[in-house]
């Protein structure tokens, strides 16, 4: 059994075949998915999608790439959703210094507001960090007493080490399957297995076998198999370790 630790299964790309995609995921052994939000406007649909599908677990947050949609009042709204819905995590949140036009100081305000909520409610975080890993580390240190995962990690081994020391796991997905991703593949080969989570980021970040196509959670075994090959261990060992890691971080209920 596998856990997709990061799937946007509520995205409109799945509106036409969500039930079939969920069936394909389960047939592939992906029995549970953590589904993070991107903006306050998406929370109601996310809740509905997860309520209707077995093994789908929502997280609520404010994604930095959707900065134009966020309002300061949304942090208060997030608090109310956490109190009422009892999600297993806060996210997707974080910092993105790659996309032009996203004010960095404003991003930090929303990010650190969510960090403080995570500390208050003792919830793990699902963090986006694109060309901003050092800034994410600085914010995490500033708020303190946090845990979570930096998803689709693309930083250095030293940054990964610092995140592990702070209580954060590393999420790897489709990008690790590309042969030219040398630094990422070296990290997948050498990092402690106890800190690894598998993800698809569906419908985005397709693996090398479906380059340019819609991604979906059923592709998670491709990521697992590539990492197993890089590490010289069996797919079963990767499955067991990453499932155990996800269950521990998110306090996931058992698969049905």
């Amino acid at each position: 059994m596998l856990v997709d630790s990061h799937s946007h299964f509520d995205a409109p790309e799945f509106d036409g075949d969500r039930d079939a995609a969920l069936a394909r995921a389960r047939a592939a052994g992906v029995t549970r998915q953590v589904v993070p939000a991107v903006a306050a406007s998406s929370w109601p649909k996310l809740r509905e999608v997860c309520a209707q599908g077995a093994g789908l677990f929502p997280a609520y947050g404010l994604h930095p790439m959707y900065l134009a949609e966020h309002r300061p009042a949304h942090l208060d709204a997030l608090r109310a959703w956490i109190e009422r819905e009892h999600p297993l995590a806060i996210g997707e949140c974080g910092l993105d210094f790659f996309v032009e036009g996203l004010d960095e100081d404003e991003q930090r305000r929303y990010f650190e507001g969510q960090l403080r909520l995570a500390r208050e409610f003792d919830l793990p975080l699902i963090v986006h960090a694109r060309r901003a890993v050092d800034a994410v580390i600085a914010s995490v240190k500033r708020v303190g007493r946090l845990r979570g995962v930096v998803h689709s990690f693309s930083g250095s081994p030293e940054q990964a080490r610092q995140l592990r020391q702070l209580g954060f796991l590393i999420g790897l997905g489709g990008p690790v399957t590309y042969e030219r991703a040398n630094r990422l593949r070296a990290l997948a080969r050498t990092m402690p297995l106890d800190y690894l989570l598998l993800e698809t980021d569906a419908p985005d970040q397709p693996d090398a076998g479906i380059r340019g196509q819609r991604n979906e959670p059923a592709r998670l075994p491709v990521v697992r198999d590539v990492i197993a090959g890089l590490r010289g261990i069996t797919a079963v060992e990767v499955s067991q370790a990453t499932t155990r890691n996800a269950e521990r971080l998110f306090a996931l209920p058992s698969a049905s």
Side-chain angles (χ1 to χ4, degrees):
M1 292 185 293
L2 290 168
V3 175
D4 188 343
S5 67
H6 198 106
S7 159
H8 293 286
F9 205 60
D10 62 319
E13 287 87 342
F14 291 110
D15 286 351
D17 69 338
R18 187 170 285 108
D19 289 345
L22 183 59
R24 286 191 293 271
R26 294 183 70 85
V30 183
T31 57
R32 288 167 289 179
Q33 301 176 41
V34 178
V35 188
V38 295
S41 60
S42 73
W43 299 344
K45 179 184 178 182
L46 174 59
R47 176 177 59 186
E48 180 181 355
V49 166
C50 290
Q52 293 176 351
L56 303 178
F57 301 94
Y60 299 110
L62 302 168
H63 192 300
M65 288 178 60
Y66 293 76
L67 189 62
E69 297 185 29
H70 305 335
R71 301 292 181 269
H74 291 165
L75 287 170
D76 293 329
L78 180 57
R79 173 190 295 278
W81 273 74
I82 293 168
E83 290 176 336
R84 184 178 65 248
E85 302 296 331
H86 306 289
L88 50 68
I90 292 177
E92 184 171 353
C93 59
L95 300 171
D96 193 309
F97 295 167
F98 173 76
V99 176
E100 294 184 4
L102 297 177
D103 183 88
E104 294 183 8
D105 290 336
E106 192 174 4
Q107 287 188 60
R108 284 190 181 91
R109 284 193 289 272
Y110 284 109
F111 181 42
E112 294 192 7
Q114 292 173 90
L115 297 185
R116 288 190 289 271
L117 285 172
R119 186 179 64 187
E120 177 183 347
F121 287 96
D122 192 24
L123 286 172
L125 291 142
I126 299 170
V127 177
H128 173 105
R130 186 156 59 159
R131 294 197 181 168
V133 178
D134 284 340
V136 162
I137 291 171
S139 289
V140 167
K141 287 180 176 179
R142 190 154 43 240
V143 174
R145 304 200 316 273
L146 299 167
R147 68 189 190 281
V149 54
V150 174
H151 102 95
S152 188
F153 184 78
S154 59
S156 69
E158 172 58 21
Q159 289 170 326
R161 185 191 66 79
Q162 291 183 49
L163 286 164
R164 293 196 302 270
Q165 288 184 333
L166 291 169
F168 280 74
L169 280 65
I170 302 299
L172 298 180
V176 79
T177 68
Y178 289 81
E179 291 187 358
R180 291 188 176 182
N182 293 321
R183 187 171 74 168
L184 191 58
R185 289 162 75 92
L187 180 69
R189 184 180 297 114
T190 59
M191 67 172 287
L193 199 54
D194 286 347
Y195 288 88
L196 175 64
L197 293 182
L198 302 181
E199 63 171 68
T200 61
D201 199 22
D204 300 321
Q205 298 203 49
D207 60 75
I210 55 168
R211 186 192 308 257
Q213 302 177 44
R214 184 193 75 172
N215 196 10
E216 61 179 75
R219 300 294 298 181
L220 193 64
V222 176
V223 176
R224 175 203 59 196
D225 292 348
V226 166
I227 292 174
L230 290 169
R231 297 182 71 95
I233 61 178
T234 67
V236 170
E237 289 175 278
V238 177
S239 295
Q240 291 176 338
T242 56
T243 295
R244 183 171 60 246
N245 296 343
E247 289 175 340
R248 183 179 71 247
L249 178 63
F250 296 117
L252 280 171
S254 299
S256 57

